[in-house]
C-alpha cells in the first residue's frame, strides 16, 4: 500500500500575527491603542508616529481619534526614530511604533544618537518582541532587550498582559526620558487582574509566594510562570513568581531580597535570548551583591530561531508552560 | 544689475564671511588641525544664513521663534562655531578652548555642549530626518520658524537622507530648507569616485523638492538662493545645492591637493590669516 494514500496530519501554521492567548483565555483587544487614546485626551503633547505599521501596533486607534496628531512615516524606520526625536525637541511626546526587529536592529543608531544621547522624551512601543511570531529571524526580535539595555538612559519595559500595558502607558508618559516598551497587540491576554498587582515603573512585584522555586520573569513569561506555578502545585512543588516588568532600571533591591531567601532554586524566565536580557541582568545583580543561590535560566537559545507555529516553537525552545514545568522538575530532581 | 542696497548687503556679508573664515583658522591653529578646508569653503553660506536669512536672538539661543539650524555634518563644527561667534551666540574669547578637554566647543558638534547647536550631528545622515520631525512639530504648534538642515555631500550616500527626502515631500514641509555643501570630497577621496551622486538637482526634484544649485562662494547667488527658498509660496521642502571650493580665500590651501582633511603646517596658520586680512583690507 502506498504511503501517499495515507491520511496526512494537519500541518500547523506560522501566522505572522499569531495570538499569544491560549484557547479560551480572557483577552482585551488593543489595550495599548485604547490606553493611548484615553491618555492623549489629557496630554495634548502626545503625538503618534509609525512606519507603515499602525494597524499592526494598535496605533490606528490613536490615528482615528486624533488624525492631526498622527504621522505616517512610511516604511522608513530611520526616519521614524529621527523624526520622533525631532518632534520631542519641539516639545511633543512622540509614541513611535513599529516591530521590535525594526525599532532596534534596523534603526539602532537613530535610537542611540538622536533619541537617547539627548535624553529625548520619545516612547518606542515595539510589537512582536522576542519569539512572538513564527516568521523566522526577519521578524523575531530575540535580542531586542540586549540592544536597548545597552543604551545609556533608556528605560526598558516588558509588560505581561493587557492590564500591565494599560497601566504602563500613563506610567511611561509620566517619566521624562526615552522608553522602550515591548508591545503586545491585538487580543492580549488578561492575567494580572487576578492578583494584587499594580504596574509601577522600576518596581518588581511578587505575584505569589512559594518555598521551593523563585521564578523571576518579565513579559509573557510572567504569564507562563504563573501557569507553571499552578501546574507544579499539583506536584507539591511550591513556586514563587516575581514579575519584573521594568528591565532597566532593574529593581535590584526587590530581586536581591527575594533571591536571598535560602533554600530556593532561582530561575529567570525570559522571552529573549540568553544573551544580554533579564537573566544576565539578574545574575550580575546577584553576583555583585554576593548572593549566590542555585541559579538557572529559561530563555531562547543564542541562535537564529526556526520558522513555524508559535506553540511548536515555544515547546521547541523550552518557553511553553509544559516545557518550563518539565525543565524545572528536572532541575529539582 | 545690483542696486546700491544689494551692494551694501554684499559688502556687509563679505565682511561677516571674512570674520567667520578668520575665527575658523584661529581655532584650527589652537589644535593644529581641524576641518578648515571645509570651513573656508562653507563660510559664505554660513555668513548668509546667520547674518542675513535666519531669525534668532543671540542672548537667548532657545527662543521659540528662532529658525532652527541643524548641523548634520558634525565635523563642520569648527566652521559652525565661527559662525556662532560671528552671530554673537558664543563669545569670541571662547575660541581658544576649541577641542580642549571640558570645552563647550568639542571637535564634533554636540547639542548638549554648545549653545546654538541644535543637534548632535556627526553620525552622518541623521540631520535631515530629525529636521523632518522638527518641521512637523513646528507646523503642528503653528510656529512659523524655518528648519535649516545643513549637510555634506557625503551624506547623500546615506539611505536615511532619502527616507527623509521622501517624508518631507510627502508631508509638504514648506518650512524645511536643506543646505548641501558640495565640495566633492569624502574620507576616501572625491565623491564622484566614492559614490557618484549626479545628476543631483534632478534627484532632489524627482523626490518632490524645490531645487536650486548655485556657486556657494558667490555671495550674491547665495543670498538670492536663500531669499528664494524662504519666499517660495509652494508647500514643498526646499533644497539649495552649494558647489563650494575647499580652502576658499586662501590660495595656497585652495591649490593644495584636495583631501577630506587638508594638511596645514604650523607656520601656515599665520600666513593664511595674513592673506585673508590683506584681501579683506583691499576689498574695503
Amino acid at each position: 500500500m502506498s504511503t501517499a494514500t495515507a491520511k496526512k496530519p494537519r500541518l500547523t501554521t506560522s501566522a505572522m500575527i499569531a495570538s499569544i492567548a491560549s484557547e479560551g483565555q480572557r483577552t482585551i483587544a488593543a489595550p495599548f491603542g485604547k490606553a493611548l487614546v484615553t491618555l492623549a485626551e489629557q496630554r495634548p503633547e502626545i503625538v503618534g508616529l509609525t512606519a507603515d505599521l499602525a494597524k499592526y501596533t494598535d496605533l490606528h486607534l490613536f490615528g482615528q481619534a486624533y488624525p492631526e496628531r498622527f504621522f505616517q512615516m512610511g516604511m522608513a524606520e530611520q526616519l521614524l526614530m529621527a523624526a520622533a526625536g525631532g518632534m520631542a525637541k519641539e516639545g511633543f511626546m512622540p509614541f513611535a511604533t513599529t516591530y521590535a526587529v525594526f525599532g532596534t536592529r534596523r534603526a539602532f543608531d537613530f535610537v542611540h544618537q538622536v533619541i537617547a544621547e539627548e535624553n529625548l522624551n520619545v516612547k518606542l512601543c515595539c510589537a512582536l518582541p522576542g519569539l512572538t511570531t513564527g516568521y523566522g529571524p526577519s521578524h523575531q526580535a530575540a535580542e531586542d532587550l540586549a540592544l536597548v539595555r545597552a543604551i545609556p538612559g533608556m528605560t526598558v519595559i516588558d509588560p505581561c498582559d493587557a492590564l500591565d500595558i494599560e497601566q504602563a502607558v500613563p506610567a511611561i508618559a509620566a517619566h521624562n526620558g526615552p522608553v522602550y516598551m515591548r508591545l503586545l497587540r491585538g487580543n492580549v491576554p488578561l492575567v494580572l487582574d487576578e492578583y494584587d498587582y499594580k504596574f509601577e515603573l522600576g518596581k518588581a512585584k511578587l505575584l505569589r509566594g512559594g518555598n521551593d522555586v523563585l521564578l523571576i520573569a518579565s513579559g509573557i513569561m510572567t504569564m507562563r510562570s504563573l501557569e507553571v506555578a499552578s501546574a507544579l502545585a499539583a506536584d507539591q512543588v511550591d513556586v514563587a513568581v516575581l514579575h519584573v516588568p521594568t528591565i532597566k532600571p532593574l529593581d535590584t533591591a526587590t530581586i536581591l531580597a527575594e533571591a536571598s531567601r535560602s533554600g530556593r532554586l532561582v530561575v529567570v524566565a525570559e522571552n529573549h535570548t540568553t544573551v544580554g536580557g533579564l537573566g544576565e541582568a539578574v545574575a550580575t545583580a546577584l553576583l555583585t551583591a554576593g548572593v549566590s543561590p542555585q541559579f538557572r535560566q529559561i530563555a531562547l537559545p543564542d541562535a537564529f530561531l526556526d520558522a513555524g507555529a508559535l506553540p511548536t516553537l515555544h515547546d521547541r525552545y523550552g518557553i511553553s508552560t509544559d516545557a518550563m514545568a518539565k525543565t524545572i522538575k528536572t532541575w529539582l530532581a | 544689475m545690483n542696486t546700491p542696497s544689494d551692494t551694501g548687503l554684499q559688502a556687509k556679508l563679505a565682511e561677516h564671511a571674512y570674520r567667520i573664515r578668520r575665527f575658523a583658522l584661529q581655532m584650527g591653529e589652537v589644535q593644529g588641525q581641524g576641518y578648515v578646508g571645509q570651513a573656508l569653503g562653507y563660510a559664505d553660506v554660513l555668513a548668509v544664513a546667520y547674518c542675513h536669512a535666519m531669525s534668532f536672538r543671540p542672548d537667548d539661543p532657545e527662543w521659540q521663534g528662532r529658525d532652527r539650524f541643524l548641523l548634520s555634518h558634525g565635523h563642520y563644527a569648527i566652521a559652525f562655531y565661527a559662525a556662532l561667534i560671528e552671530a554673537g551666540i558664543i563669545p569670541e574669547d571662547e575660541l581658544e578652548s576649541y577641542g580642549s578637554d571640558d570645552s563647550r566647543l568639542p571637535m564634533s558638534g554636540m547639542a548638549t555642549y554648545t549653545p546654538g547647536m541644535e543637534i548632535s550631528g556627526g553620525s552622518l545622515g541623521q540631520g535631515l530626518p530629525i529636521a523632518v520631525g522638527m518641521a512637523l512639530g513646528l507646523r503642528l504648534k503653528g510656529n512659523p520658524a524655518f528648519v535649516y538642515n545643513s549637510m555634506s555631500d557625503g551624506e547623500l550616500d546615506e539611505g536615511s537622507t532619502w527616507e527623509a527626502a521622501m517624508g518631507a515631500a510627502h508631508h509638504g514641509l514648506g518650512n524645511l530648507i536643506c543646505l548641501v555643501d558640495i565640495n566633492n570630497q569624502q574620507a576616501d577621496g572625491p565623491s564622484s569616485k566614492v559614490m557618484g551622486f549626479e545628476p543631483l538637482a534632478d534627484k532632489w526634484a524627482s523626490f518632490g523638492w524645490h531645487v536650486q544649485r548655485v556657486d556657494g562662494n558667490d555671495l550674491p547667488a547665495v543670498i538670492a538662493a536663500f531669499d528664494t527658498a524662504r519666499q517660495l509660496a509652494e508647500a514643498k521642502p526646499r533644497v539649495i545645492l552649494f558647489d563650494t571650493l575647499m580652502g576658499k580665500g586662501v590660495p595656497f590651501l585652495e591649490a593644495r591637493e584636495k583631501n577630506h582633511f587638508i594638511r596645514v603646517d604650523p607656520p601656515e596658520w599665520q600666513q593664511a590669516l595674513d592673506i585673508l586680512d590683506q584681501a579683506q583690507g583691499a576689498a574695503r
Side-chain angles (χ1 to χ4, degrees), chain B residues 173-191:
Chain B
L173 296 177
N175 54 350
L176 174 56
I177 300 175
C178 186
L179 315 172
V180 188
D181 181 19
I182 303 168
N183 57 28
N184 199 33
Q185 285 300 320
Q186 295 185 228
D188 269 347
S191 300

Side-chain angles (χ1 to χ4, degrees), chain A residues 198-217:
Chain A
K198 184 177 185 305
F199 176 88
E200 280 182 84
L201 196 74
K203 296 290 182 202
K205 297 283 177 85
L206 192 71
L207 297 178
R208 61 178 282 168
N211 294 316
D212 300 319
V213 178
L214 171 64
L215 264 171
I216 300 175

Side-chain angles (χ1 to χ4, degrees), chain A residues 227-306:
Chain A
E227 291 164 3
V228 165
S230 300
L232 290 184
D235 296 332
Q236 318 307 320
V237 179
D238 200 11
V239 178
V241 177
L242 180 66
H243 178 41
V244 188
T246 307
I247 306 286
K248 185 182 180 182
L250 195 65
D251 184 357
T252 321
T254 303
I255 290 169
L256 287 177
E258 285 300 323
S260 299
R261 272 186 53 187
S262 61
R264 293 198 295 193
L265 169 68
V266 172
V267 179
V268 177
E270 55 186 323
N271 172 29
H272 187 269
T273 116
T274 52
V275 179
L278 181 63
E280 286 192 353
V282 169
T284 303
L286 297 182
L287 273 175
T288 305
V291 175
S292 50
Q294 198 187 353
F295 180 89
R296 294 284 185 279
Q297 204 176 355
I298 290 174
L300 301 168
D302 177 21
F304 292 100
L305 306 179
D306 295 338

Side-chain angles (χ1 to χ4, degrees), chain A residues 72 79 89-90 109 117, chain B residues 68 118 120 123 141 171:
Chain A
Q72 177 59 262
L79 172 62
K89 289 171 81 67
E90 291 301 335
D109 190 44
E117 198 262 339
Chain B
R68 279 70 166 156
E118 296 277 358
S120 297
S123 179
K141 287 193 284 191
H171 288 285

Side-chain angles (χ1 to χ4, degrees), chain A residues 156-181:
Chain A
V156 181
I157 308 293
D158 188 15
C160 164
D161 72 341
L163 181 140
D164 232 2
I165 288 176
E166 191 181 290
Q167 297 184 354
V169 167
I172 64 175
H175 167 79
N176 183 33
V179 175
Y180 175 83
M181 182 169 85

